[in-house]
Amino acid sequence: MYLAKIKVTYKPSVLDPQGEVIKSALHRLDYETVEQVIQGKYFEVRLSADSLAAANGLVESMTEALLINQNTETYNYTVEEVEA
Amino acid sequence: MYLAKIKVTYKPSVLDPQGEVIKSALHRLDYETVEQVIQGKYFEVRLSADSLAAANGLVESMTEALLINQNTETYNYTVEEVEA
């Protein structure tokens, strides 16, 4: 069994209005040293696969097929073997 | 300058309907070896602080104050020093 942890964020060229709103809210709460906030999505996927390489391939394929919008978002991920 | 990476997920006891929907969609797309999907939120916060320990403290404080709902969500985070 493998556990994939996938972090999805907007591409740097894409405006992140939620991140801006959170930054403003943190400033109002006196966290004035905050310079930037990026809000993204996070997924954990448990799957079985024949090997770590196969699991990596499945994770990339399914992330690009369903989890992200490739026009506006980018992602990075890790996969580790875990107990079933 | 410090960069915090914060992953927010539902507590294990809380139903994650979005994760269930994504799992079903992946099965329909023939990713049948997927056993579980958890959907969460991901934040990157850039901030200045006097030390790594101070940055950690700020990140915990602001996450609990604004970024999560402590009744239903849990989080983990890393903080690293980065160039300004």
Side-chain angles (χ1 to χ4, degrees):
Chain A
M1 187 71 57
Y2 295 92
L3 174 61
K5 298 178 178 180
I6 304 156
K7 297 185 279 195
V8 177
T9 53
Y10 285 118
K11 290 180 180 176
S13 58
V14 176
L15 197 68
D16 176 5
Q18 286 178 302
E20 289 297 312
V21 168
I22 293 167
K23 186 177 86 169
S24 299
L26 288 171
H27 285 183
R28 283 196 301 277
L29 291 171
D30 289 335
Y31 296 104
E32 287 163 3
T33 63
V34 171
E35 300 239 334
Q36 186 185 27
V37 178
I38 290 173
Q39 166 150 20
K41 287 180 285 189
Y42 175 66
F43 301 94
E44 290 186 1
V45 179
R46 266 175 198 275
L47 72 166
S48 49
D50 292 336
S51 66
L52 182 58
N56 277 310
L58 281 168
V59 168
E60 288 185 19
S61 167
M62 72 178 69
T63 300
E64 292 171 15
L66 188 71
L67 300 181
I68 73 167
N69 176 340
Q70 291 200 64
N71 294 306
T72 57
E73 294 174 327
T74 185
Y75 69 104
N76 61 64
Y77 70 97
T78 60
V79 179
E80 62 191 292
E81 192 161 5
V82 294
E83 285 186 26
Chain B
M1 186 71 57
Y2 295 92
L3 174 61
K5 298 178 177 179
I6 305 156
K7 297 185 280 196
V8 177
T9 53
Y10 286 118
K11 291 180 180 176
S13 58
V14 176
L15 197 67
D16 176 6
Q18 286 177 301
E20 288 297 312
V21 168
I22 293 167
K23 185 177 85 170
S24 299
L26 288 171
H27 285 182
R28 283 196 301 276
L29 291 171
D30 289 336
Y31 296 103
E32 287 163 1
T33 63
V34 171
E35 299 239 334
Q36 186 185 28
V37 177
I38 291 172
Q39 165 150 19
K41 288 180 283 189
Y42 174 67
F43 301 93
E44 289 186 2
V45 178
R46 265 176 198 276
L47 73 166
S48 50
D50 292 335
S51 66
L52 182 59
N56 277 312
L58 282 168
V59 168
E60 289 186 18
S61 166
M62 71 179 68
T63 299
E64 292 172 13
L66 188 70
L67 299 182
I68 73 166
N69 175 341
Q70 290 200 66
N71 293 307
T72 56
E73 293 173 328
T74 185
Y75 70 104
N76 62 64
Y77 71 96
T78 60
V79 180
E80 62 192 292
E81 193 161 5
V82 294
E83 285 185 26

